[in-house]
Amino acid sequence: MWMLRAAVLVLVSAWAVLALPSTPKDVSRFPDDLFQPLPVVIWHGLGDSAYSPWLLKLKEHIEKMYPGIFVHLVAIKPTLFSDQRATVFGNVNDQIDLMHCELNAIPELRHGFDAVGFSQGGQFMRGYVERYNSPRVRNLITFGSQHMGITDLPACQPFDALCRTVHGLLMGRVYTDYAQKSVVTAQYFRDTRTKEQFSLYKERNKFLYDINNEGPEKNGTYKANLERLDKFVMVKFSEESTVVPAASSWFAAYPDPDQHHGRANETTPLRQSALYEEDWVGMRALDRKGALAFHECSGGHMHLSQECLALTFGHEVKSY
Ligand SMILES: *[C@@H]1O[C@H](CO)[C@@H](O)[C@H](O)[C@H]1NC(C)=O
Ligand SMILES: *[C@@H]1O[C@H](CO)[C@@H](O)[C@H](O)[C@H]1NC(C)=O
């Protein structure tokens, strides 16, 4: 599945920049006796678990490095395997509701936090900001996320039985009631390949279609909440092959099937999309206040190299 690799220590040192934007890049001068960093909440990706050793280690290192910092790993279920399974099977809208309850039961988060979403955890985090944002998110940072969905399923590793099971389930059945309620990837599968599939997406999808305000009735709360972010940092990977199209990590998508003018395989960048031009979810407003950052990291999906993290947490806006 979408495996995560991380240089834990590097990620931890990069955190200082995030926690203290006024001292960009120089991590060593973090004045931990003067400054209480805002908590960090991390929502992991598909196939991962809040109890996976690397994430627990990451949390521990952040806590050790910045005494007093509070780090929370979003856990939909209480065990390693059940939480991992919940990244594959479940109802994403319910999971966001659960996560909202989970965060509200944590007093340390009541003054807000910085949110980090790995892969699909990125668009789920954004869903939380749009629908709830209470406690409030200051900075949202997403790594290899699928903000405009996927039009294809990621290739399975040779021995990944879970992945094969999901593919088997979804083959030609992405928009069935069952898949839309119970298979996580189906809930952000935005199939622009044919008019028929795209109409099915619009008719049946209850998660991505909703949080992207694609329907005729826009929910103003979503826009108002997302606009409140200080920064929205989106990281895309240069050798991305798991997320199709890769530019979905930068909020780009293949054109609608009736508007592609022979360019069905060319993604429309965020700034040229209707979602941006008509500002369905507040992305244009964020851009106008300089709050959007587009980063490209070298490597494949979720390859969190040292350079990637240093660049990312520097918050420089890169144009397409
Ligand atoms: C808009 O979203 C908010 C938050 O999820 C919800 O409470 C409200 O009912 C929605 N409004 C409409 C018109 O759907
Ligand atoms: C677009 O991509 C699909 C799948 O990769 C391919 O089958 C199709 O031929 C491509 N279309 C064009 C116009 O290049």
Side-chain angles (χ1 to χ4, degrees), residues 2 119-120 122-123 126 142-152 188-192 201 207-208 211-212 214 232-237 240-254 266-270 275 283 293-296 301 320:
W2 309 15
S119 198
Q120 69 182 17
Q123 61 266 30
R126 179 164 61 85
T142 66
F143 290 87
S145 298
Q146 299 87 41
H147 291 294
M148 285 301 286
I150 50 172
T151 58
D152 209 350
Y188 55 86
F189 198 96
R190 191 174 181 276
D191 198 343
T192 49
Y201 163 77
F207 169 65
L208 191 73
I211 63 157
N212 284 354
E214 289 184 72
F232 181 8
V233 183
M234 289 173 277
V235 179
K236 173 171 95 64
F237 294 92
E240 178 70 79
S241 57
T242 305
V243 177
V244 179
S248 187
S249 296
W250 277 355
F251 237 114
Y254 289 130
E266 285 176 32
T267 53
T268 308
L270 170 68
L275 176 141
M283 291 300 283
F294 301 90
H295 287 297
E296 185 171 75
H301 187 64
Y320 291 80

Side-chain angles (χ1 to χ4, degrees), residues 205-237:
N205 188 282
K206 300 282 182 289
F207 169 65
L208 191 73
Y209 184 75
D210 179 71
I211 63 157
N212 284 354
N213 256 339
E214 289 184 72
E217 316 241 309
K218 313 295 179 201
N219 188 323
T221 306
Y222 292 3
K223 176 169 146 74
N225 281 340
L226 199 69
E227 275 178 22
R228 292 183 65 204
L229 289 175
D230 281 13
K231 280 278 181 193
F232 181 8
V233 183
M234 289 173 277
V235 179
K236 173 171 95 64
F237 294 92

Side-chain angles (χ1 to χ4, degrees), residues 87-200:
T87 67
V88 180
F89 298 106
N91 182 313
V92 176
N93 291 327
D94 292 350
Q95 293 190 353
I96 293 172
D97 291 351
L98 270 174
M99 176 267 200
H100 170 240
C101 292
E102 178 182 322
L103 299 195
N104 273 273
I106 304 172
E108 288 85 347
L109 298 178
R110 68 188 178 281
H111 301 304
F113 60 95
D114 286 331
V116 174
F118 290 142
S119 198
Q120 69 182 17
Q123 61 266 30
F124 302 170
M125 235 2 150
R126 179 164 61 85
Y128 164 80
V129 174
E130 292 179 15
R131 289 183 183 160
Y132 295 106
N133 208 28
S134 168
R136 188 199 157 201
V137 172
R138 177 179 62 174
N139 298 313
L140 172 63
I141 299 135
T142 66
F143 290 87
S145 298
Q146 299 87 41
H147 291 294
M148 285 301 286
I150 50 172
T151 58
D152 209 350
L153 294 168
C156 294
Q157 300 296 315
F159 301 103
D160 195 337
L162 189 59
C163 177
R164 283 171 196 283
T165 306
V166 172
H167 280 208
L169 275 172
L170 290 183
M171 199 67 79
R173 290 189 284 255
V174 168
Y175 298 117
T176 58
D177 220 33
Y178 166 76
Q180 289 299 317
K181 282 184 180 147
S182 313
V183 181
V184 170
T185 33
Q187 293 160 62
Y188 55 86
F189 198 96
R190 191 174 181 276
D191 198 343
T192 49
R193 288 175 295 192
T194 66
K195 282 182 192 173
E196 292 70 28
Q197 285 300 101
F198 195 55
S199 324
L200 281 175

